[in-house]
Amino acid sequence: MKITVVGAGAVGASCAEYIAIKNFASEVVLLDIKEGFAEGKAMDLMQTASLNGFDTKIKGVTNDYSKTANSDICVITSGIPRKPGMTREELIGINAGIVKTVSSSLIQHSPNTIIIVVSNPMDTMTYLVHKSTNLPKHRIIGMGGALDSARFKYRLAEALDAPISDVDGMVIGGHSDTGMVPLTRLATRNSVPVSKFLSNDRLNQVMEDTKVGGATLTKLLGTSAWYAPGAAVSGLVQAIACDQKKMFPCSVLLEGEYGMNDICIGAPVILGRNGIEKIVEIELNDAEKAHMVESAKGVRATNDLL
Ligand code: NAI
C-alpha cells in the first residue's frame, strides 16, 4: 500500500507520522514544493521508526511527482493555513490554484488513486477536485467531519465529566465555523442520549465550542492545528487501506442525498477499499434540516468564488 501526502507542513507531516505509527502502509511519499523540506521531514520521521516500532518507509521529495507513481491513496494538505481571526473561506484565492495543480499532477502519475482533500476551504476544494478532474465521485473524499466529530466528542466528554471512550457523536455539514452541524440529539454516553445528563444550555455551549474548535486553536497557536487533523486523516486512510468499512462524516458529492445536488458537504459515509462505498442518509429533524440548508448556502457561496 503506497500513500502520498502532498504538503509536508504541520498537517501533512503529522498525518504521515500517524500513518507510519499505525504500521499498515508499506510506503509514504511526502512531497512539498519547498526545496529539501519534505526530505528533511521524512528523514526526521524515519529516525523515529526504531523508537516507535514501525516498518513503513517514509520518503521525502521536492515536487517530483514521478516518485508518487501508483499511489493507492493521495492526501492533499498543500496550501496556506489560516492565521488568528481569519476564516477558512479566506484561503480560497491561494489554495484553489494549488489544489487544482496538485490534483492534476497526482492523477497523471496515479490514475487509479483515491484522493483525500484536506486543504481549506475544504468542502470547496473537494468540489474543485470533482470539477477539475474526471475521477469518479467515490474516489474523492474531503476530510473535515472526522476532525469536527473528534472535537465534538472532546467537548461532550468535558461537559459530561466522562472518559472520551464513553462518548459518541457526529458532526455533519460544512467544515466552517458557521456550517458545522453537530448532531447533539443523536450524541450518546454509552448509548444513553446526552440530553439525559446535560441541560439545553450546556448542550448549546458544547455545540458552539465545537463549531469554533479550529478558531480557538488558531488563536492559541498562532496558526491552525495539526495533531488532531493529522490523526483524523490517518483514520480515513487506514479505513480505506485496510478495507475497514468504517463510517465517518466526510465531504462528498451529493446527488440527491439530503435533498442536495452539485455540492460537496459533510455527510456520513462508509469508507473501504473502493473509497466512499456508501453515503448514509440519516433521518434529520426539522431544526437539523434547516441547519443543513443554511450550511449548504455557505458552502455554495464559497464555491461561487472559484
Ligand atoms: P503548513 O503551512 O504548515 O503546510 C503547508 C505546506 O504546503 C507547506 O510546507 C508548503 O510548502 C506546501 N505547499 C504549498 N504549495 C505547494 C504546492 N504547490 N505543492 C506542494 N506543496 C506545497 O500548513 P498546515 O497547517 O499543514 O495546513 C495545510 C492546509 O490544511 C491548510 O489549507 C489548512 O487550512 C488545512 N487544514 C485543514 C483541516 C481540515 O480539517 N480539513 C485541518 C487543519 C488544516
Side-chain angles (χ1 to χ4, degrees), residues 9-24:
V11 175
S14 158
C15 157
E17 181 179 16
Y18 284 117
I19 291 170
I21 285 178
K22 292 178 181 178
N23 214 12
F24 59 84

Side-chain angles (χ1 to χ4, degrees), residues 6-12 31-34 37 63 65 77-82 91 95 98 102 118-120 122 143-144 147 175 224-225 229:
V6 180
V11 175
L31 181 147
D32 203 282
I33 200 165
K34 227 187 291 174
F37 190 60
N63 228 23
Y65 282 86
T77 76
S78 46
I80 52 163
R82 57 180 170 161
L91 307 173
N95 287 357
I98 294 175
V102 166
V118 181
S119 309
N120 275 316
M122 182 280 295
M143 194 295 289
L147 170 64
H175 179 61
S224 70

